[in-house]
Amino acid sequence: KLNHFQQPQDIKESDFFKFLEKYGRHSFLAPSQVQPSLSTFYRAGDPILIYFDSSSVLSTLRQPVKMGASGLCVDGNPAGFLDSKSTSCTRIFANLSKSCITDPALDAASYYRDFTVLKVPINDTVVQSMKVIYEIEFSGTHGIQSVSVRFKVSNISGNSGSSLQQRFTLHFWVSPPILPKLLPSLTLSHTLPRSGNPGYITGAPLLIANSGAMQHMSILQSEADGSCSQFLRHTVQFGRNMRTGCKLSLSPILEESNCSYIQQKLYKVLQGINRAEDLAITGSAHSTQAEEWTTILIQNCSVQAVNCTSYCMVPVTLEIQILWSKVGLLSNPQAQILGARYFYRCHPLKFLSTSTVPLTTVVTFTDMTEWPEPPRGQPQMHWKLPFDIFFPFKVAHNLERSYRGDLAGCFLLILIMSSILCF
């Protein structure tokens, strides 16, 4: 009990809400970003270094992201090692014909030409400088083994005032040296890296499983115009609360009797194509080990499908509630998930008067760690001393002085008595 955390409590469907009310508190504060220091090998989150041979400039691999409510592209965002993610942003051109020739953002070669990716970082100063998909193969501390890039181009037309949305994807995958020889048909690009060993690392993607297939938990993502993206979704990261929203367009030809169909459609949009059934308890869970997974509790709206001419109760909000705890040694605690729940909230939808439905997804992580009593040393004796610590010495000194005075008085008395008797 003094060296280990207490055994975490089992989370059941009946007491999930009780624990959530006791330990839960909503927060959407962004975690502080710490600039990683360079080492002899890449670590998770480190910027990937590139080198321009023609100009002898060291820089970082960039992944453009959108900034602000307008969603305009910002090209200065560095790509993080092992941080597989997709981003999208909007570019505005005053003269599309001229920009198509001169703007590097529309030139596919600018995303790979004239620079090389460093296999491992070097101890030097990183200079801040610079549909694209980077595939990066790595092998443990041996560093980056290969880098490939794919493009998807489209013909666009327009005059002044045109806008274009671009997407950028960065994907990491592990390639052990033995597997390609034994299993040449294995698609290694779909191998998911661990999110911790064994406990989850803050910021690592949550691992889910659907019929044994491992995926990353994801939630809705909006396009530049605020509509729900059909292809892109945000990856849920451990320990980081999230909130997203978008608008889903409904077909105007839906009949009033299709309330049940609309409900099921919105459920599928909120949960995504890869429906989550089980959640990995730790970041290194194996798909074949059932004890390393916990079933996700799903609580749909209590209102059943209503075939009414005026309204239909449809899900508009998905709350993903995750309970977790730190276990193991005090010197090296490991984060593991105790339970998770998908909680849907419904809202009445009026037929023939609503063309879009606002959807919201909220992810909250609740820490249920029960810390043990702090360790104590050997018991010590409790000495009860007087207010004056020199009291014993003063008492002894006073007794000695009193004894000497008494002895002198007795000797004087003896002399007096002797003189009287002699006379």
Side-chain angles (χ1 to χ4, degrees):
K1 188 173 182 180
L2 298 179
N3 296 324
H4 295 76
F5 284 102
Q6 297 180 5
Q7 185 68 20
Q9 305 181 49
D10 294 332
I11 304 299
K12 301 179 181 178
E13 185 173 4
S14 58
D15 55 13
F16 191 98
F17 186 74
K18 178 184 66 176
F19 287 113
L20 190 64
E21 278 195 339
K22 179 179 178 181
Y23 296 96
R25 54 185 180 274
H26 295 278
S27 174
F28 296 98
L29 297 177
S32 59
Q33 299 293 332
V34 179
Q35 185 69 21
S37 59
L38 295 178
S39 60
T40 56
F41 56 89
Y42 285 112
R43 298 179 181 178
D46 286 353
I48 299 174
L49 304 183
I50 60 175
Y51 180 74
F52 293 89
D53 185 63
S54 58
S55 57
S56 300
V57 173
L58 185 66
S59 184
T60 57
L61 188 66
R62 303 292 176 174
Q63 184 176 11
V65 294
K66 62 182 179 181
M67 180 65 68
S70 60
L72 297 180
C73 291
V74 176
D75 295 311
N77 178 63
F81 184 67
L82 292 185
D83 188 9
S84 300
K85 63 181 179 181
S86 297
T87 59
S88 63
C89 57
T90 302
R91 299 187 189 274
I92 299 178
F93 307 99
N95 190 326
L96 182 60
S97 300
K98 182 179 180 180
S99 298
C100 187
I101 301 174
T102 60
D103 198 325
L106 300 181
D107 185 6
S110 65
Y111 294 97
Y112 67 89
R113 183 179 55 196
D114 298 333
F115 71 86
T116 56
V117 178
L118 297 187
K119 187 175 182 179
V120 294
I122 61 175
N123 293 324
D124 201 350
T125 303
V126 178
V127 181
Q128 302 296 330
S129 65
M130 174 161 192
K131 178 165 179 180
V132 184
I133 301 178
Y134 290 101
E135 295 276 349
I136 301 180
E137 174 191 357
F138 69 97
S139 177
T141 57
H142 296 287
I144 296 175
Q145 304 298 308
S146 64
V147 180
S148 62
V149 59
R150 293 187 287 118
F151 302 94
K152 181 180 181 181
V153 297
S154 301
N155 291 326
I156 58 176
S157 60
N159 298 321
S160 61
S162 300
S163 63
L164 171 67
Q165 186 178 57
Q166 292 182 311
R167 292 189 177 96
F168 306 88
T169 301
L170 190 66
H171 180 66
F172 291 86
W173 55 282
V174 185
S175 179
I178 301 178
L179 290 180
K181 299 179 180 180
L182 300 179
L183 303 173
S185 61
L186 180 63
T187 305
L188 295 177
S189 60
H190 292 84
T191 303
L192 292 179
R194 292 182 298 191
S195 295
N197 187 24
Y200 273 101
I201 299 175
T202 301
L206 256 64
L207 303 178
I208 61 173
N210 183 2
S211 301
M214 292 180 58
Q215 301 287 340
H216 289 159
M217 180 182 289
S218 61
I219 57 177
L220 288 173
Q221 180 174 338
S222 63
E223 298 283 1
D225 58 355
S227 62
C228 298
S229 176
Q230 298 181 4
F231 308 101
L232 301 179
R233 290 175 66 88
H234 288 293
T235 300
V236 178
Q237 300 175 339
F238 178 80
R240 294 180 178 174
N241 297 341
M242 302 176 64
R243 185 184 184 93
T244 62
C246 60
K247 294 182 179 181
L248 179 68
S249 300
L250 297 179
S251 175
I253 61 174
L254 289 175
E255 298 180 359
E256 297 178 357
S257 59
N258 285 341
C259 180
S260 178
Y261 169 77
I262 299 177
Q263 286 180 333
Q264 296 303 319
K265 178 180 179 180
L266 293 182
Y267 275 121
K268 291 181 180 179
V269 171
L270 288 169
Q271 67 191 12
I273 299 177
N274 301 319
R275 181 175 180 271
E277 295 180 350
D278 301 311
L279 180 61
I281 296 177
T282 60
S284 60
H286 196 276
S287 58
T288 59
Q289 303 296 328
E291 67 276 4
E292 297 179 355
W293 298 81
T294 180
T295 302
I296 298 177
L297 307 177
I298 299 178
Q299 185 173 346
N300 294 335
C301 297
S302 58
V303 180
Q304 301 298 325
V306 178
N307 293 324
C308 182
T309 58
S310 60
Y311 70 93
C312 176
M313 296 297 294
V314 296
V316 295
T317 301
L318 168 60
E319 295 184 11
I320 303 177
Q321 303 162 345
I322 301 172
L323 308 181
W324 67 282
S325 174
K326 290 182 179 180
V327 298
L329 293 173
L330 286 170
S331 59
N332 186 26
Q334 301 294 315
Q336 76 173 33
I337 292 177
L338 305 180
R341 179 176 70 162
Y342 276 26
F343 182 75
Y344 293 92
R345 297 183 183 274
C346 286
H347 186 76
L349 174 67
K350 294 183 179 180
F351 286 103
L352 304 179
S353 63
T354 304
S355 58
T356 59
V357 179
L359 301 179
T360 304
T361 306
V362 178
V363 182
T364 56
F365 289 83
T366 302
D367 186 0
M368 296 179 55
T369 303
E370 294 187 6
W371 298 86
E373 296 179 2
R376 299 187 300 267
Q378 295 296 326
Q380 301 292 332
M381 296 183 63
H382 297 280
W383 295 93
K384 295 182 179 180
L385 299 177
F387 179 78
D388 188 357
I389 193 173
F390 296 102
F391 177 77
F393 304 99
K394 290 182 179 180
V395 171
H397 181 66
N398 292 336
L399 290 177
E400 183 180 0
R401 289 170 50 186
S402 176
Y403 173 74
R404 289 179 180 176
D406 294 343
L407 184 60
C410 292
F411 182 72
L412 180 60
L413 181 60
I414 293 173
L415 290 178
I416 294 174
M417 293 297 295
S418 300
S419 59
I420 293 174
L421 293 176
C422 292
F423 286 105

